Amino acid sequence: MPHSAEAIEKACSSLERFVQEYFNEKRSRYAYGDWFEPIYFDLCEYIGRKGKRIRPQILMISYFAFGGKKEMTDPSVLKAALAMELLHTFILMHDDVIDRSDIRRGLPTFHKLVQRRLEPFDQSARYGENIATVLGDMVFAMSVQALNETEFPPEVRSEVIRHFLDYAADTGAGEILDILLGTRDISRVDIADIEDMYYLKTTRYTFEAPCILGAVLAGASEQKVIAIKKWVRPLGLAFQIDNDLIEFRHLDVSKNGFPTDLLDGKKTVLIHEAYNSLDEVDRSFLQMCLGSERKTESTLIKIYDLIRKSGAIDRLAARNSKLFDKAEVMMEDPVFDSKESSIMRTAIQGIKSQIKVAS
């Protein structure tokens, strides 16, 4: 598909320029005074950081695949793609506060940027978190505003915004479920709850939202929208498990810090699979390590060793392969024409490779 690949690459390059131009144009809208200007500057830098742009890419590809009439470089298509990136930014800003993360894309998280500006104050860390939380809410408003500014028919724009708000609400519910699962002992966590959390927190807004929004903007039928939702679910679960496995495989306990998931005792599919695969003695030890409020380096290394010993990594890798295969088969639903299936399948494979390289 030389033409489609060329169009997609051109659109992705245009998006990066558009993000910068959009925020330059909006400076007067958010000119609250000298006190807000450095915060807006930090936001522009944060959003402009080099990232995978998976969500806006999928939206533009979906729009192209399902026969959108506008060019992918049209400002309305780019604004819709930007809305997905802003939703992601809003979620990251809140996630980083919740997870107490210091680094995002190789640079300080947003609340750490603000904290540095406020370091003469005794409570600069708390002020940084507070401002990041509130500004995150503002970024969400910006994302809806970007969608509302697109020049699509009013009924289409209204439908897209309705979907968009549903995805935002579901992502919040997934975050809450993630927090609540973290309070439970691993022996009381069901795999279905973890997979539901993955679906709500990640799959819905990372894959389903941009696919559906792009398709709806392009005028896809309700039957196609329903079919998209079916193949996205196994795909999203596969990507999330893949991400967990990549993070774990690349972990060097002698050099790197431990992932926040281990530090916070989060209940992942990998942890659940490891726990259920160990013998009674090792299972009790893992249970005790995960339940410890203060995890020392030796405790974390023991968790790491038990996960490796369990064989969970290889089993989940095999399961992942089946999930990707299942999603590809479902992309061949007769409701899609050959062009739609081909473009989406190629795009997903490209994004999968991109994630592995970036990780």
Side-chain angles (χ1 to χ4, degrees):
M1 295 184 304
H3 174 67
S4 61
E6 182 182 339
I8 290 165
E9 185 177 350
K10 183 180 177 183
C12 291
S13 297
S14 296
L15 177 67
E16 292 302 324
R17 292 192 299 273
F18 184 79
V19 170
Q20 298 301 324
E21 291 168 2
Y22 185 83
F23 275 87
N24 281 334
E25 290 172 5
K26 291 291 181 182
R27 285 184 70 178
S28 59
R29 165 63 184 85
Y30 298 102
Y32 295 115
D34 292 344
W35 59 271
F36 191 79
E37 188 174 2
I39 295 173
Y40 190 77
F41 174 82
D42 284 342
L43 177 62
C44 292
E45 183 277 321
Y46 185 79
I47 293 172
R49 291 177 184 176
K50 185 174 176 56
K52 305 183 195 84
R53 309 287 194 217
I54 292 170
R55 295 151 194 86
Q57 277 190 55
I58 294 176
L59 184 145
M60 292 188 293
I61 292 167
S62 178
Y63 179 78
F64 178 81
F66 291 100
K69 299 295 187 291
K70 298 179 186 291
E71 294 290 328
M72 283 198 290
T73 53
D74 183 277
S76 285
V77 178
L78 293 174
K79 277 183 184 176
L82 172 62
M84 285 307 314
E85 188 65 17
L86 291 177
L87 177 65
H88 181 49
T89 301
F90 147 72
I91 291 167
L92 290 183
M93 291 170 78
H94 283 192
D95 264 358
D96 287 340
V97 171
I98 292 169
D99 294 339
R100 295 164 295 170
S101 301
D102 293 339
I103 301 296
R104 174 65 63 183
R105 292 174 178 168
L107 293 167
T109 50
F110 192 82
H111 63 277
K112 287 296 179 182
L113 284 177
V114 179
Q115 178 183 337
R116 288 183 180 185
R117 289 189 181 276
L118 300 173
E119 275 178 352
F121 296 98
D122 291 338
Q123 299 188 60
S124 58
R126 184 170 70 88
Y127 292 148
E129 291 176 357
N130 291 348
I131 289 173
T133 301
V134 177
L135 190 65
D137 294 339
M138 293 176 68
V139 171
F140 176 67
M142 292 177 188
S143 69
V144 179
Q145 182 184 45
L147 277 180
N148 198 45
E149 291 173 351
T150 58
E151 294 182 1
F152 289 97
E155 64 278 9
V156 172
R157 195 166 60 240
S158 177
E159 179 71 2
V160 164
I161 291 175
R162 182 183 67 80
H163 281 294
F164 188 82
L165 293 176
D166 281 344
Y167 290 122
D170 288 349
T171 304
E175 183 69 70
I176 292 170
L177 180 55
D178 190 19
I179 294 168
L180 291 176
L181 289 176
T183 67
R184 297 184 195 171
D185 185 89
I186 185 63
S187 64
R188 295 179 52 246
V189 175
D190 191 274
I191 187 64
D193 289 334
I194 299 176
E195 292 184 5
D196 280 347
M197 179 268 290
Y198 281 177
Y199 176 64
L200 290 169
K201 183 181 175 182
T202 304
T203 300
R204 288 278 282 167
Y205 97 94
T206 297
F207 297 103
E208 187 177 317
C211 279
I212 296 297
L213 266 56
V216 171
L217 288 172
S221 66
E222 182 63 25
Q223 290 84 358
K224 289 182 181 181
V225 168
I226 292 170
I228 290 170
K229 290 181 179 180
K230 289 179 180 177
W231 63 256
V232 163
R233 183 150 191 167
L235 181 71
L237 177 58
F239 267 103
Q240 185 58 48
I241 294 174
D242 213 31
N243 185 66
D244 293 344
L245 293 176
I246 290 169
E247 183 179 69
F248 191 82
R249 283 170 173 154
H250 288 193
L251 176 63
D252 183 342
V253 295
S254 65
K255 296 179 182 178
N256 303 330
F258 287 89
T260 304
D261 286 356
L262 284 183
L263 287 169
D264 289 349
K266 291 193 175 185
K267 307 308 185 292
T268 64
V269 168
L270 178 59
I271 289 289
H272 188 277
E273 177 69 23
Y275 175 77
N276 284 289
S277 303
L278 293 167
D279 61 32
E280 188 174 346
V281 173
D282 284 335
R283 188 182 297 176
S284 297
F285 205 95
L286 178 61
Q287 192 173 359
M288 181 182 69
C289 291
L290 290 171
S292 173
E293 288 189 14
R294 185 178 178 278
K295 295 178 178 64
T296 63
E297 183 175 341
S298 60
T299 302
L300 291 166
I301 290 173
K302 184 61 179 177
I303 294 173
Y304 177 84
D305 289 341
L306 287 171
I307 291 173
R308 283 212 169 277
K309 180 180 179 181
S310 73
I313 296 171
D314 290 339
R315 280 192 297 279
L316 286 180
R319 184 189 177 196
N320 246 24
S321 181
K322 291 179 181 178
L323 284 168
F324 278 118
D325 289 345
K326 181 180 180 180
E328 286 211 22
V329 169
M330 294 175 83
M331 287 182 200
E332 298 299 330
D333 190 307
V335 74
F336 303 128
D337 64 34
S338 58
K339 174 199 168 190
E340 293 164 349
S341 296
S342 179
I343 292 176
M344 293 307 296
R345 187 168 56 252
T346 301
I348 294 303
Q349 287 298 328
I351 292 168
K352 180 181 176 182
S353 301
Q354 182 182 344
I355 289 175
K356 285 184 179 295
V357 170
S359 298

Coordinates of all heavy atoms in Angstrom, one line a residue, residues 196-233:
D196 N -10.5 -6.5 33.2 CA -11.5 -5.4 33.1 C -10.8 -4.1 33.4 O -11.1 -3.1 32.7 CB -12.6 -5.6 34.2 CG -13.6 -6.7 33.7 OD1 -13.6 -7.0 32.5 OD2 -14.4 -7.1 34.6
M197 N -9.9 -4.1 34.3 CA -9.1 -2.8 34.6 C -8.3 -2.4 33.4 O -8.3 -1.3 33.0 CB -8.2 -3.0 35.8 CG -7.4 -1.8 36.2 SD -5.8 -1.8 35.5 CE -5.0 -3.2 36.4
Y198 N -7.6 -3.4 32.8 CA -6.8 -3.1 31.6 C -7.7 -2.5 30.5 O -7.4 -1.6 29.8 CB -6.2 -4.4 31.1 CG -4.9 -4.8 31.8 CD1 -4.3 -6.0 31.4 CD2 -4.4 -4.0 32.8 CE1 -3.1 -6.4 32.0 CE2 -3.2 -4.5 33.5 CZ -2.6 -5.6 33.1 OH -1.4 -6.0 33.7
Y199 N -8.9 -3.1 30.3 CA -9.8 -2.7 29.3 C -10.3 -1.3 29.5 O -10.3 -0.5 28.6 CB -11.0 -3.7 29.2 CG -12.1 -3.3 28.3 CD1 -11.8 -3.2 26.9 CD2 -13.4 -3.0 28.7 CE1 -12.8 -2.9 26.0 CE2 -14.4 -2.6 27.8 CZ -14.1 -2.6 26.4 OH -15.0 -2.2 25.5
L200 N -10.7 -1.0 30.7 CA -11.3 0.3 31.0 C -10.2 1.4 31.0 O -10.3 2.5 30.5 CB -12.0 0.3 32.4 CG -13.3 -0.4 32.5 CD1 -13.7 -0.6 34.0 CD2 -14.4 0.3 31.7
K201 N -9.0 1.1 31.7 CA -8.0 2.1 31.9 C -7.1 2.3 30.6 O -6.7 3.4 30.4 CB -7.1 1.6 33.0 CG -6.0 2.6 33.4 CD -5.1 2.2 34.5 CE -4.0 3.1 34.7 NZ -3.1 2.7 35.8
T202 N -6.9 1.3 29.8 CA -6.0 1.4 28.7 C -6.6 1.1 27.3 O -6.6 2.0 26.4 CB -4.8 0.5 28.9 OG1 -4.2 0.7 30.1 CG2 -3.8 0.6 27.8
T203 N -7.2 0.0 27.1 CA -7.8 -0.4 25.8 C -8.8 0.6 25.3 O -8.7 1.0 24.1 CB -8.4 -1.8 25.9 OG1 -7.4 -2.8 26.3 CG2 -9.0 -2.2 24.5
R204 N -9.7 1.0 26.1 CA -10.8 1.9 25.7 C -10.3 3.2 25.1 O -10.7 3.6 24.0 CB -11.7 2.2 26.8 CG -12.6 1.0 27.3 CD -13.8 0.9 26.4 NE -14.9 1.9 26.8 CZ -15.9 2.1 26.0 NH1 -16.1 1.5 24.9 NH2 -16.8 3.0 26.4
Y205 N -9.3 3.9 25.7 CA -8.9 5.1 25.2 C -7.7 5.1 24.3 O -7.4 5.9 23.5 CB -8.7 6.2 26.3 CG -7.3 6.3 26.8 CD1 -6.5 7.4 26.3 CD2 -6.7 5.5 27.8 CE1 -5.2 7.6 26.8 CE2 -5.4 5.7 28.3 CZ -4.7 6.7 27.8 OH -3.4 6.9 28.2
T206 N -6.9 4.0 24.4 CA -5.7 3.9 23.6 C -6.0 3.3 22.2 O -5.4 3.7 21.2 CB -4.7 3.0 24.3 OG1 -4.3 3.6 25.5 CG2 -3.4 2.8 23.4
F207 N -6.9 2.3 22.1 CA -7.2 1.7 20.8 C -8.6 1.9 20.4 O -8.8 2.3 19.2 CB -6.9 0.2 20.9 CG -5.4 -0.1 21.2 CD1 -5.0 -0.4 22.4 CD2 -4.5 0.0 20.2 CE1 -3.7 -0.7 22.7 CE2 -3.1 -0.2 20.4 CZ -2.7 -0.5 21.7
E208 N -9.6 1.6 21.2 CA -11.0 1.7 20.8 C -11.3 3.1 20.5 O -12.0 3.4 19.4 CB -11.9 1.1 21.8 CG -13.3 1.0 21.4 CD -14.3 0.4 22.4 OE1 -13.9 -0.6 23.0 OE2 -15.4 0.9 22.6
A209 N -11.0 4.1 21.3 CA -11.4 5.5 21.1 C -10.9 6.0 19.8 O -11.7 6.5 19.0 CB -11.0 6.4 22.3
P210 N -9.6 6.0 19.5 CA -9.2 6.5 18.2 C -9.7 5.8 17.0 O -10.0 6.4 16.0 CB -7.6 6.5 18.3 CG -7.3 5.5 19.4 CD -8.5 5.5 20.3
C211 N -9.9 4.5 17.1 CA -10.4 3.7 16.0 C -11.9 4.1 15.7 O -12.3 4.4 14.6 CB -10.4 2.2 16.3 SG -8.8 1.4 16.0
I212 N -12.7 4.2 16.8 CA -14.1 4.5 16.6 C -14.2 6.0 16.2 O -15.0 6.3 15.3 CB -14.8 4.3 18.0 CG1 -14.8 2.8 18.3 CG2 -16.3 4.8 17.9 CD1 -15.5 1.9 17.3
L213 N -13.5 6.9 16.8 CA -13.6 8.3 16.5 C -13.2 8.6 15.0 O -13.9 9.3 14.3 CB -12.7 9.2 17.4 CG -13.4 9.8 18.6 CD1 -14.1 8.7 19.5 CD2 -12.5 10.6 19.5
G214 N -12.1 7.9 14.6 CA -11.7 8.1 13.2 C -12.8 7.5 12.2 O -13.1 8.1 11.2
A215 N -13.3 6.4 12.6 CA -14.3 5.7 11.7 C -15.6 6.6 11.7 O -16.2 6.8 10.6 CB -14.6 4.3 12.2
V216 N -16.1 7.1 12.8 CA -17.3 7.9 12.9 C -17.1 9.2 12.1 O -18.0 9.6 11.3 CB -17.7 8.2 14.3 CG1 -18.8 9.2 14.4 CG2 -18.1 6.9 15.0
L217 N -15.9 9.8 12.2 CA -15.7 11.0 11.5 C -15.7 10.8 10.0 O -16.0 11.6 9.1 CB -14.3 11.6 11.9 CG -14.3 12.3 13.2 CD1 -12.8 12.6 13.6 CD2 -15.1 13.5 13.3
A218 N -15.3 9.5 9.6 CA -15.2 9.2 8.2 C -16.6 8.7 7.6 O -16.8 8.6 6.4 CB -14.2 8.0 8.0
G219 N -17.6 8.5 8.5 CA -18.9 8.1 8.1 C -19.2 6.7 8.1 O -20.1 6.2 7.4
A220 N -18.4 5.9 8.9 CA -18.6 4.5 9.0 C -19.9 4.1 9.5 O -20.5 4.8 10.4 CB -17.5 3.8 9.8
S221 N -20.5 3.0 9.1 CA -21.8 2.5 9.5 C -21.7 2.0 11.0 O -20.7 1.7 11.5 CB -22.3 1.4 8.6 OG -21.4 0.2 8.8
E222 N -22.9 1.9 11.6 CA -23.0 1.4 13.0 C -22.5 0.0 13.0 O -21.9 -0.4 14.0 CB -24.5 1.5 13.4 CG -24.7 1.0 14.9 CD -23.9 1.9 15.9 OE1 -23.6 3.1 15.6 OE2 -23.6 1.4 17.0
Q223 N -22.8 -0.8 12.0 CA -22.3 -2.2 12.0 C -20.8 -2.3 12.0 O -20.2 -3.1 12.7 CB -22.8 -2.9 10.7 CG -24.3 -3.2 10.7 CD -25.1 -2.0 10.2 OE1 -24.5 -0.9 9.9 NE2 -26.4 -2.1 10.1
K224 N -20.1 -1.4 11.3 CA -18.7 -1.3 11.4 C -18.1 -0.9 12.7 O -17.1 -1.4 13.2 CB -18.1 -0.4 10.2 CG -18.3 -1.0 8.9 CD -17.7 -0.2 7.8 CE -18.0 -0.8 6.4 NZ -17.4 0.0 5.3
V225 N -18.8 0.1 13.3 CA -18.4 0.5 14.7 C -18.5 -0.6 15.7 O -17.6 -0.8 16.5 CB -19.3 1.7 15.1 CG1 -19.1 2.0 16.6 CG2 -19.0 3.0 14.3
I226 N -19.6 -1.4 15.6 CA -19.7 -2.5 16.5 C -18.6 -3.6 16.3 O -18.0 -4.1 17.2 CB -21.1 -3.2 16.3 CG1 -22.2 -2.2 16.8 CG2 -21.2 -4.5 17.0 CD1 -23.6 -2.6 16.4
A227 N -18.3 -3.8 15.0 CA -17.3 -4.8 14.6 C -15.9 -4.3 15.1 O -15.1 -5.2 15.5 CB -17.3 -5.0 13.1
I228 N -15.6 -3.0 15.0 CA -14.4 -2.5 15.5 C -14.2 -2.8 17.0 O -13.1 -3.2 17.4 CB -14.3 -1.0 15.2 CG1 -14.1 -0.7 13.7 CG2 -13.1 -0.4 16.0 CD1 -14.3 0.8 13.4
K229 N -15.2 -2.6 17.7 CA -15.2 -2.8 19.2 C -14.8 -4.2 19.5 O -14.1 -4.5 20.5 CB -16.5 -2.4 19.8 CG -16.8 -0.9 19.8 CD -18.1 -0.6 20.5 CE -18.4 0.9 20.5 NZ -19.7 1.3 21.2
K230 N -15.3 -5.2 18.7 CA -15.0 -6.6 19.0 C -13.6 -6.9 18.8 O -13.0 -7.7 19.6 CB -15.9 -7.4 18.0 CG -17.4 -7.4 18.4 CD -18.2 -8.3 17.4 CE -19.7 -8.2 17.7 NZ -20.4 -9.0 16.7
W231 N -12.9 -6.5 17.7 CA -11.5 -6.9 17.5 C -10.5 -6.0 18.3 O -9.4 -6.4 18.6 CB -11.1 -6.9 16.1 CG -11.1 -5.7 15.3 CD1 -12.0 -5.3 14.3 CD2 -10.1 -4.6 15.2 NE1 -11.7 -4.1 13.8 CE2 -10.5 -3.7 14.3 CE3 -8.9 -4.4 15.9 CZ2 -9.8 -2.5 14.0 CZ3 -8.2 -3.3 15.7 CH2 -8.6 -2.3 14.7
V232 N -11.0 -4.9 18.8 CA -10.1 -4.0 19.6 C -9.8 -4.6 21.0 O -8.7 -4.5 21.5 CB -10.7 -2.6 19.7 CG1 -10.0 -1.8 20.8 CG2 -10.5 -1.9 18.4
R233 N -10.8 -5.3 21.6 CA -10.7 -5.8 22.9 C -9.5 -6.8 23.1 O -8.6 -6.6 24.0 CB -12.0 -6.4 23.5 CG -11.8 -6.8 24.9 CD -13.1 -6.7 25.7 NE -12.9 -6.9 27.1 CZ -13.8 -6.6 28.1 NH1 -15.0 -6.1 27.7 NH2 -13.5 -6.8 29.3

